[in-house]
Amino acid sequence: MRHFFFILAFGLATLTAPATPARADSPVVVELFTSQGCSVCPPADALLAELATRPDVIPLALHVDYWDYIGWPDTFASGQFTRRQQAYARHVGQRMVYTPQMIIGGVERVVGYEPMDVAELILRYREVDYPVEVSLTRVEGGIALRAVASMALESPGMVVQVVRYIPRETVEIRRGENAGRVVDYTNIVTEWMRVGDWSGQEPFEIELVDSSSLPVVALVQMAGPGAILGAARLD
């Protein structure tokens, strides 16, 4: 069941725009495409758990459903996450998708368990001057999201997204390639919502009704999907 509903959407016609901000600092978003049915995924799942201890990284586990036919339907899987991974592949002209796969900053792709490569890419993206400052705050009855760009990025435009995740859950896998294993999963994405398209010319502001205690992430990304231009987390 979704916990987010639009109650206010403004910013595309804001009456008074604020002064242009300095370039923003942002946590590095790491998306892990994984599956409970994939025998080589648990090391990458464990790496994501390590990243979850870092305040400068937003690690997100997106469980895909194309392993379900092996005999163990992933209890977190969604076709939406499979389609997101496929969209990433199409955006760079690739035909195949793989698990595990980490995508850092919406751009860099790491297939398999390669912790040194992931560490180097996170370090590189920590040095990026992000062009969008994103903030999330709790308000009465919900959450307020605000994004401000230091430059207008109109082509192909930006997409504002809101993500909900479960911090941790343990699964006993009874069938498939991981039969008999008990695996800890971290930052399991349950909802990924596109809440608006944005040119960056004016601040983007929206309030969402929210009755859940689960953490929330907001991110601004180039359409494609492409580079993540700014992100924020609210625990």
Side-chain angles (χ1 to χ4, degrees):
M1 179 178 295
R2 294 190 180 276
H3 297 287
F4 295 118
F5 300 89
F6 298 106
I7 56 174
L8 290 175
F10 50 97
L12 300 181
T14 305
L15 295 178
T16 303
T20 300
R23 286 178 171 265
D25 184 32
S26 173
V28 180
V29 177
V30 177
E31 298 172 64
L32 169 63
F33 293 93
T34 186
S35 173
Q36 295 171 11
C38 165
S39 63
V40 295
C41 284
D45 298 320
L47 176 58
L48 196 83
E50 293 179 19
L51 296 177
T53 66
R54 295 179 50 168
D56 59 340
V57 179
I58 298 177
L60 300 169
L62 294 93
H63 287 243
V64 298
D65 63 357
Y66 50 80
W67 280 93
D68 289 1
Y69 78 96
I70 295 295
W72 178 256
D74 189 309
T75 56
F76 308 128
S78 170
Q80 178 188 8
F81 306 149
T82 297
R83 291 189 293 274
R84 180 169 176 84
Q85 187 183 23
Q86 292 169 339
Y88 269 125
R90 287 194 301 271
H91 188 60
V92 294
Q94 295 177 346
R95 299 181 61 184
M96 301 293 294
V97 293
Y98 306 90
T99 54
Q101 181 184 47
M102 285 187 173
I103 297 184
I104 293 92
V107 176
E108 304 292 344
R109 291 151 171 79
V110 177
V111 175
Y113 176 66
E114 301 291 346
M116 293 303 297
D117 291 348
V118 172
E120 290 174 4
L121 288 167
I122 289 174
L123 182 61
R124 184 190 307 172
Y125 275 79
R126 283 296 296 130
E127 301 301 318
V128 168
D129 290 325
Y130 287 87
V132 177
E133 182 176 3
V134 182
S135 63
L136 282 169
T137 54
R138 297 201 182 276
V139 296
E140 184 176 358
I143 291 171
L145 185 164
R146 190 170 196 267
V148 181
S150 60
M151 64 177 69
L153 299 171
E154 300 180 36
S155 180
M158 293 178 279
V159 180
V160 184
Q161 299 160 100
V162 175
V163 181
R164 172 78 70 192
Y165 66 85
I166 299 169
R168 185 180 178 89
E169 193 160 322
T170 300
V171 177
E172 180 182 353
I173 301 171
R174 299 186 181 89
R175 295 185 301 278
E177 290 191 355
N178 286 322
R181 301 185 71 165
V182 177
V183 183
D184 293 326
Y185 293 101
T186 306
N187 290 17
I188 308 146
V189 175
T190 59
E191 299 175 59
W192 194 295
M193 291 180 56
R194 180 173 180 154
V195 297
D197 299 318
W198 183 44
S199 72
Q201 292 183 334
E202 303 288 350
F204 182 96
E205 296 178 290
I206 193 168
E207 289 188 9
L208 304 169
V209 172
D210 176 42
S211 59
S212 173
S213 60
L214 293 177
V216 183
V217 170
L219 58 91
V220 176
Q221 185 171 23
M222 293 301 294
I228 293 173
L229 307 178
R233 170 174 45 204
L234 186 61
D235 294 326

